Amino acid sequence: MFEIPVSSRARAISDSITLAITARAKAMRAEGKDVVSLGAGEPDFPTPDEVADAGVRAIRDGHTRYTAAAGIPELRAAAARWFDRQFGLDYAPEEIVVTAGAKPALTLCMMALLDDGDRVLLPGPYWASYPDIVRLGGGEPIDLASEPEQGFIHTGAQIAAAAREHGCKGVVVNYPNNPSGAVPTRAQVEDIVAACVEHDLWILSDEIYARLLYDGAEHVSPASIPGGRERTVVVNGGTKSHSMTGWRVGFLAAPREVAAAVGRLVSQAMGNTCSISQQAALAMANLEEDPEFDRRMKAFDERRHHVVREFGSIPGIRVAEPKGAFYALLDVREVCERMGCDDVGFVEQLLVDGLVATVPGSAFAIPGFVRISYAASMLDLDLAIGRIREFVASKMA
Ligand code: PMP
Ligand code: GLU
């Protein structure tokens, strides 16, 4: 029988592990198992009313046709104002492309920047999808090992040395970081940008968590540093800050030629981002007074304190305090040693026996650690903490 051959490119790509784990937790629940998921990072809050209502109105008002491929002009202009207001970034509307979420923005950016075999440096820990996103662009991902002792933030010298050693063209940075929650200081970002300037590297800066900051931490985009703007592509949007995970809408901001190249890719490969979601994103970008956002951040912050305190009190687990996003990395090396397994084995046993879904650190290039998302209700967090406490105690006994 004839079988359609799948390309080597598609064979080299795996399913998103975070989405796969979440799907598995859902399937287990459907079988009647009471699994708590701290897997995928998805806020448990609904999309804010102003944003959701704009989507409903969009359908009623007939915003249901093709739009300009790179996004409706009003949204590109509103996104430019939003980048300026929120992060002090200066972009013209033509330097902004609206995409169906941050994920396609990252993928299209790679397709626009990479020639076959170009190497891209991925400082760990990094979001699990980056290596495959680089491969989709025809490039080769190069890992730079995580530095837990440096608060998970590399120096410019470390990035430059690795880029030089492997002949990388560019580097992907993601702060606030998924999975560590690390947020660099301005001086650290300046140091990274200076190294990229000196070594002619471009920067893909995934800033999807840029508004999710705690303890007065400041988000500093590499594009806001002198010398950074011309070599940086910024990816951002309301996915996480405004609970818009299912709407599929995000922004890419880049120097004109790069934005134009990404726009061409959108026009041929994706088509415009959903016209309804663009209207919702317009409402998000135009929100100036946003007390609901402050309330969501207060809730995330309470959960953050809670998970750091609770996990920190479990013998065998260590946890660093995240400064942004809604993830915490649990250092489970000691427990794994007792169990005679790695973090993948830990996560598997915890899911099957302890009924808590988490993501192994190996997926983020930080083996020996486990990522939990605290974008979950306090009720779920407490249930999960209790189960993990019991699970770990039984292995450490
Ligand atoms: N970048 C990072 C670091 C993420 O954690 C995620 C997960 N949502 C994305 C990009 C993708 O975001 P979106 O849902 O907007 O595609
Ligand atoms: N970014 C989220 C996570 O890391 C959602 C999953 C995904 O888009 O792959 O869990």
Side-chain angles (χ1 to χ4, degrees):
M1 201 187 82
F2 179 76
E3 235 181 78
I4 304 175
V6 170
S7 71
S8 48
R9 188 193 303 109
R11 270 185 275 120
I13 305 295
S14 327
D15 271 322
S16 154
I17 182 166
T18 44
L19 296 180
I21 286 173
T22 308
R24 188 157 162 220
K26 270 192 191 142
M28 286 173 74
R29 268 202 298 271
E31 287 166 14
K33 296 192 178 111
D34 164 36
V35 176
V36 184
S37 182
L38 304 186
E42 175 161 40
D44 57 324
F45 302 108
T47 305
D49 283 348
E50 300 92 324
V51 177
D53 290 348
V56 172
R57 262 199 320 277
I59 302 175
R60 301 242 179 265
D61 294 349
H63 292 291
T64 51
R65 296 175 178 270
Y66 290 135
T67 73
I72 53 174
E74 309 90 286
L75 180 53
R76 294 172 84 186
R81 290 193 301 272
W82 177 83
F83 272 113
D84 182 24
R85 192 169 72 243
Q86 298 294 350
F87 313 111
L89 292 173
D90 178 22
Y91 286 102
E94 308 79 66
E95 294 176 306
I96 287 171
V97 183
V98 180
T99 57
K103 200 179 263 185
L106 297 165
T107 309
L108 295 171
C109 171
M110 286 305 169
M111 292 174 76
L113 299 188
L114 298 178
D115 283 315
D116 282 347
D118 279 353
R119 293 181 167 181
V120 179
L121 190 66
L122 302 180
Y126 54 70
W127 184 41
S129 290
Y130 290 159
D132 276 351
I133 283 175
V134 170
R135 288 186 195 101
L136 278 171
E140 186 187 343
I142 301 291
D143 276 14
L144 173 57
S146 304
E147 293 286 354
E149 268 65 54
Q150 291 177 200
F152 304 105
I153 295 167
H154 291 89
T155 62
Q158 288 168 328
I159 288 175
R164 222 179 19 246
E165 183 188 343
H166 297 282
C168 296
K169 296 272 172 72
V171 56
V172 181
V173 293
N174 166 226
Y175 300 117
N177 180 260
N178 176 4
S180 69
V183 179
T185 61
R186 176 172 292 276
Q188 285 174 312
V189 179
E190 282 170 353
D191 176 44
I192 292 170
V193 171
C196 293
V197 170
E198 195 182 331
H199 296 275
D200 276 335
L201 297 167
W202 49 253
I203 302 168
L204 172 53
S205 184
D206 179 348
E207 305 182 13
I208 196 68
Y209 297 99
R211 295 206 56 207
L212 281 70
L213 299 166
Y214 310 103
D215 291 344
E218 176 195 20
H219 174 69
V220 180
S221 171
S224 70
I225 305 289
R229 192 189 186 283
E230 65 263 31
R231 66 187 59 249
T232 302
V233 177
V234 177
V235 171
N236 210 326
T239 306
K240 310 292 178 171
S241 61
H242 287 74
S243 302
M244 295 182 73
T245 46
W247 292 82
R248 311 311 305 142
V249 55
F251 310 135
L252 174 142
R256 215 164 283 255
E257 287 303 312
V258 176
V262 172
R264 292 196 294 277
L265 295 174
V266 172
S267 80
Q268 292 291 26
M270 310 264 170
N272 66 264
T273 297
C274 170
S275 54
I276 299 150
S277 299
Q278 288 193 63
Q279 293 294 333
L282 183 59
M284 188 285 296
N286 282 337
L287 272 179
E288 293 203 18
E289 294 289 308
D290 198 354
E292 285 301 322
F293 171 76
D294 299 335
R295 266 196 278 279
R296 289 194 297 278
M297 283 311 294
K298 192 161 167 277
F300 283 141
D301 198 20
E302 278 164 15
R303 297 168 187 189
R304 178 180 72 108
H305 284 299
H306 191 61
V307 300
V308 169
R309 199 171 43 241
E310 292 296 319
F311 284 115
S313 74
I314 299 179
I317 289 187
R318 283 190 301 172
V319 57
E321 186 173 74
K323 293 288 179 202
F326 40 55
Y327 305 103
L329 270 181
L330 310 181
D331 179 347
V332 295
R333 285 176 287 192
E334 210 184 318
V335 195
C336 286
E337 209 169 288
R338 296 285 184 98
M339 291 169 69
C341 68
D342 58 10
D343 54 297
V344 176
F346 177 100
V347 163
E348 179 65 25
Q349 277 199 47
L350 178 62
L351 179 59
V352 173
D353 302 336
L355 297 178
V356 182
T358 56
V359 188
S362 312
F364 307 97
I366 183 152
F369 289 70
V370 164
R371 188 194 81 174
I372 60 126
S373 159
Y374 54 87
S377 70
M378 268 298 192
L379 216 66
D380 276 356
L381 283 173
D382 270 336
L383 207 55
I385 290 165
R387 289 179 187 180
I388 294 175
R389 188 183 292 282
E390 210 172 292
F391 176 82
V392 169
S394 72
K395 307 298 173 194
M396 298 293 288

